[in-house]
Amino acid sequence: MAVFLLSLGAACCLGAGFVLQQHAAQRAPSGDLLRWRLLLDLMRMPDWLLGIAFMIGGQALSALALSQGEVALVEPLLATNLVWAMLLARRITGTRLGRAGWIGVALIALGVTAFIAAGQPRGGGPAAGPLRYWLVFGIVSGLALLLVTVARRLPLFEEATLLALAAGLLYGLQDALTRTTFDRIDRDGAAAALVSWPPYTVVGLGVIGLLLVQSAFEAAPLRMSLPALTAAQPLAGIACAVGFLGDRLRLTPGALAWQSAGLAAIVVGVVVLGRHPALPGAK
């Protein structure tokens, strides 16, 4: 139960943080896109700092959830951050949730329930060897790099979506490495964990992901970026958890079918909510 409450609390903080950050980022100079100067400019905006405070709180809660539960369990729950973002954005825009909004909320809720109930995520499996570990790491980070490279050749609206997808992949990888760090602390102690590379990679991925997200928020309305970010993060996190952390899911044909349906429902629900008029529209 603690993992569920921590994950939902993290999703609430992250959703609120994303809305506040985008509200500030859309006022940043357009020439700052994908430049570190963007973060310096945003640091002068109180609403962006408040959004960052919410985001840090959400990441702290998600780290606590990851320290107590499997990544494959926590990640689908974190995908509900878009629901909380909708609630705050609705307050800002004054738009009712309406039928489409409730459909999106229901799809995300049912998708999360179906995936967790069918997959029954659990740890305890053997961790992958170095080859598989670095293969999964390289695929996820390489795909993120490819998305950023392609995004730079596209118009701003399409660029925002690809940048958010790249950030979501990195955040999913960050979550998996956060769990790796806690496992190392439990096994060898904090001193041993601090002389290994995962904790510092977690910080590095967080900073790069932050730049990508803020650039996506600056480039286009929230509905062009937040759905992609919200959908990509759990998919990447689950892939990494199963790929190299030893997380296990039920693999019977029926369970796989329900897990696939659950993930599909989450993605569709995210897209439906992302198109809702309650999310900030014009840049």
Side-chain angles (χ1 to χ4, degrees), residues 131-177:
L131 178 60
R132 185 173 170 183
Y133 196 105
W134 287 109
L135 180 62
V136 176
F137 186 99
I139 290 174
V140 175
S141 56
L143 183 56
L145 178 60
L146 178 63
L147 287 170
V148 174
T149 303
V150 173
R152 297 299 291 150
R153 304 173 182 272
L154 297 176
L156 284 179
F157 269 45
E158 289 82 358
E159 183 177 4
T161 301
L162 292 191
L163 291 178
L165 280 172
L169 293 178
L170 294 183
Y171 281 150
L173 181 57
Q174 181 191 40
D175 290 339
L177 292 178

Side-chain angles (χ1 to χ4, degrees), residues 2-254:
V3 174
F4 281 87
L5 294 177
L6 288 169
S7 299
L8 292 176
C12 178
C13 290
L14 290 172
F18 288 145
V19 172
L20 291 169
Q21 289 167 41
Q22 198 274 339
H23 190 257
Q26 65 181 351
R27 304 195 304 272
S30 59
D32 287 354
L33 193 71
L34 284 179
R35 298 179 183 273
W36 296 110
R37 187 176 61 209
L38 172 62
L39 300 182
L40 296 177
D41 289 338
L42 290 172
M43 288 175 65
R44 302 186 182 98
M45 302 182 185
D47 49 348
W48 187 81
L49 293 175
L50 180 59
I52 289 296
F54 272 108
M55 184 177 177
I56 292 173
Q59 289 179 333
L61 290 174
S62 66
L64 288 174
L66 289 166
S67 72
Q68 300 181 37
E70 288 69 43
V71 177
L73 171 62
V74 174
E75 289 291 354
L77 295 170
L78 292 180
T80 63
N81 75 76
L82 186 59
V83 176
W84 303 106
M86 280 287 300
L87 295 177
L88 178 58
R90 177 177 176 270
R91 299 279 298 184
I92 294 174
T93 63
T95 305
R96 289 178 175 271
L97 198 58
R99 180 183 298 179
W102 285 115
I103 289 174
V105 170
L107 283 171
I108 292 176
L110 291 174
V112 169
T113 302
F115 180 85
I116 293 174
Q120 297 180 6
R122 60 199 183 280
L131 178 60
R132 185 173 170 183
Y133 196 105
W134 287 109
L135 180 62
V136 176
F137 186 99
I139 290 174
V140 175
S141 56
L143 183 56
L145 178 60
L146 178 63
L147 287 170
V148 174
T149 303
V150 173
R152 297 299 291 150
R153 304 173 182 272
L154 297 176
L156 284 179
F157 269 45
E158 289 82 358
E159 183 177 4
T161 301
L162 292 191
L163 291 178
L165 280 172
L169 293 178
L170 294 183
Y171 281 150
L173 181 57
Q174 181 191 40
D175 290 339
L177 292 178
T178 298
R179 180 55 191 264
T180 299
T181 300
F182 279 112
D183 287 346
R184 183 69 181 270
I185 292 174
D186 290 340
R187 186 176 64 251
D188 303 322
L194 289 175
V195 297
S196 62
W197 63 270
Y200 305 101
T201 306
V202 167
V203 175
L205 290 173
V207 173
I208 295 172
L210 181 64
L211 176 62
L212 294 178
V213 167
Q214 303 310 314
S215 296
F217 287 169
E218 180 192 12
L222 197 62
R223 64 170 61 100
M224 299 300 300
S225 54
L226 189 53
L229 172 66
T230 303
Q233 182 173 351
L235 296 177
I238 292 169
C240 291
V242 175
F244 62 73
L245 285 182
D247 281 12
R248 294 180 293 176
L249 300 169
R250 290 177 62 198
L251 297 179
T252 63

